[in-house]
Amino acid sequence: MKREDVEKIRKRAAAVMEEAGIVIRPEEAAGIEVSDFGLGDILSVGLQVVVYVNTGEYCAKDIILFPRQICPEHRHPPVDDRNRGKQETFRCRWGEVYLYVPGDPEVRPKAVIPEAYLKDFTVGREIVLRPGDQYTLAPNTLHWFQAGDEGAVLSEFSSTSTDENDIWTDARLRRLPEID
Amino acid sequence: MKREDVEKIRKRAAAVMEEAGIVIRPEEAAGIEVSDFGLGDILSVGLQVVVYVNTGEYCAKDIILFPRQICPEHRHPPVDDRNRGKQETFRCRWGEVYLYVPGDPEVRPKAVIPEAYLKDFTVGREIVLRPGDQYTLAPNTLHWFQAGDEGAVLSEFSSTSTDENDIWTDARLRRLPEID
């Protein structure tokens, strides 16, 4: 992504946090992680993340999603003896999130995937997260999620985060360095 | 504490969360952890806690403090080979918190300790946390904190929490079963 586009997305993400009533410091707003996963279609498939802390033991982030924005399907595999794969808890703070995991697929899912991306979404058990709702994923569980029509803020509490180890169903995807 | 007093404190704590704009579910509000540490003086020395998740790897809570309420001095010692003592990150969400750790003591601290409790507060390096500010404590670091005049909500992100292992400077203190 171009620097000016990243800056625009960061400003918009900071505005969502403000609307959600979650205070971040100016330097946190200026450093919001922006990822289009290399697809160049960030309003459909992308993420904005404020990482509060990520130590060798635990991690806490807020994920900001624009309306209907999708975090594509992936899993967090075992990394080494100390890291058996990230375990994570998603807690909805604002808006609405549709989370999908392995299991009986929802017949009428609330999520809407643009047709071009459909083949890389394979799990369909639906968990609807509204403010105050949360769900904990075991390590190495395939999952993806989409915000509802208003967008969302989703807290992620987890063991250590090592994004570079994530495995994406769409093998093209990566958490690229965000600026060209 | 008597059940009716615990219920009153829970209601008041839930109202603080609402004022802070942080959504918790009704069952979470009904289960807020309330502790007077056995002193019977909860509005001076006490804690209200919503535990979102506490796994073998990570933990996330929100601590609700009434105006000038104190969490007394303690540390999280090593527990076993897997738990080298809880490492924790405090992030202020609402209100103001005065956190104290080892180091040069503040000459004019913002915290005010009732005289009867003074002898059990030994560390005095002051860290002022306002919304968006955070501070990470190494395991086994002595610390205590007090809310400002409006009260506060403080997020705690950490490795696994095992409250029963905490060591309090005032040896009388404990996280008692809350209801007589």
Side-chain angles (χ1 to χ4, degrees):
Chain A
M1 295 180 68
K2 289 195 168 43
R3 179 176 298 274
E4 65 204 59
D5 295 330
V6 169
E7 291 306 328
K8 269 186 210 154
I9 293 288
R10 280 188 178 139
K11 281 212 173 73
R12 189 174 160 186
V16 173
M17 289 292 266
E18 194 165 342
E19 183 159 356
I22 301 171
V23 179
I24 56 174
R25 301 189 309 278
E27 64 270 29
E28 290 176 321
I32 292 174
E33 287 184 10
V34 172
S35 179
D36 69 356
F37 303 99
L39 293 180
D41 185 15
I42 192 165
L43 295 184
S44 295
V45 179
L47 274 189
Q48 299 69 229
V49 183
V50 182
V51 180
Y52 295 127
V53 61
N54 185 23
T55 76
E57 299 188 275
Y58 60 91
C59 180
K61 309 174 176 180
D62 273 345
I63 298 170
I64 301 146
L65 295 167
F66 301 135
R68 291 288 168 183
Q69 200 179 28
I70 293 171
C71 173
E73 189 176 286
H74 65 288
R75 58 189 170 88
H76 307 290
V79 173
D80 56 33
D81 284 352
R82 288 196 59 228
N83 184 337
R84 63 190 185 104
K86 184 170 69 160
Q87 182 186 11
E88 57 193 355
T89 300
F90 293 117
R91 183 177 175 91
C92 182
R93 300 299 195 164
W94 182 85
E96 202 165 274
V97 175
Y98 315 123
L99 171 67
Y100 297 86
V101 297
D104 285 343
E106 178 60 39
V107 179
R108 286 182 202 80
K110 291 182 186 293
V112 181
I113 306 170
E115 201 161 322
Y117 303 123
L118 262 178
K119 72 174 177 47
D120 294 306
F121 293 78
T122 69
V123 299
R125 187 185 145 216
E126 181 176 84
I127 296 139
V128 177
L129 299 174
R130 298 189 176 96
D133 293 336
Q134 64 179 51
Y135 189 84
T136 296
L137 285 173
N140 216 11
T141 304
L142 275 175
H143 61 286
W144 61 278
F145 50 86
Q146 183 178 44
D149 291 333
E150 314 293 321
V153 178
L154 192 64
S155 289
E156 181 190 299
F157 311 126
S158 73
S159 52
T160 305
S161 204
T162 58
D163 295 340
E164 65 278 15
N165 295 303
D166 294 349
I167 295 175
W168 301 88
T169 301
D170 177 349
R172 294 174 300 166
L173 302 192
R174 52 196 64 81
R175 289 286 288 272
L176 290 170
E178 64 203 15
I179 294 168
D180 289 339
Chain B
M1 293 180 70
K2 288 194 170 40
R3 180 175 297 273
E4 67 205 59
D5 295 330
V6 169
E7 291 307 328
K8 269 186 211 155
I9 293 288
R10 279 187 179 138
K11 280 212 174 73
R12 188 173 161 186
V16 172
M17 289 293 265
E18 194 167 340
E19 183 159 355
I22 301 171
V23 179
I24 56 173
R25 301 189 309 279
E27 64 270 29
E28 290 175 322
I32 292 174
E33 288 185 10
V34 173
S35 179
D36 68 355
F37 302 99
L39 293 180
D41 185 15
I42 192 166
L43 295 184
S44 296
V45 179
L47 275 190
Q48 299 70 227
V49 182
V50 182
V51 180
Y52 295 127
V53 61
N54 186 23
T55 76
E57 299 188 276
Y58 60 91
C59 181
K61 312 174 176 180
D62 272 347
I63 297 170
I64 301 146
L65 295 166
F66 300 135
R68 291 289 168 183
Q69 199 179 27
I70 293 170
C71 173
E73 189 176 287
H74 65 289
R75 58 191 171 87
H76 307 291
V79 172
D80 56 33
D81 283 353
R82 288 197 58 229
N83 183 337
R84 63 191 183 104
K86 183 168 71 160
Q87 183 186 11
E88 59 193 355
T89 301
F90 294 117
R91 184 176 175 92
C92 183
R93 299 300 194 162
W94 182 86
E96 202 166 276
V97 176
Y98 315 123
L99 170 67
Y100 296 86
V101 297
D104 285 342
E106 177 60 42
V107 179
R108 285 183 202 80
K110 292 183 186 292
V112 180
I113 305 168
E115 201 160 323
Y117 302 124
L118 263 178
K119 73 177 175 46
D120 294 305
F121 292 79
T122 68
V123 297
R125 187 185 143 215
E126 181 176 83
I127 296 140
V128 177
L129 299 175
R130 298 192 175 94
D133 293 336
Q134 64 179 51
Y135 188 83
T136 297
L137 284 173
N140 215 11
T141 305
L142 275 174
H143 61 287
W144 62 277
F145 50 85
Q146 183 178 46
D149 291 333
E150 313 292 320
V153 178
L154 192 64
S155 289
E156 182 190 298
F157 312 126
S158 73
S159 52
T160 305
S161 204
T162 58
D163 295 340
E164 65 278 16
N165 295 304
D166 294 348
I167 294 175
W168 302 88
T169 301
D170 178 349
R172 294 172 302 166
L173 302 191
R174 54 196 64 81
R175 288 287 288 271
L176 290 171
E178 63 204 14
I179 294 169
D180 291 337

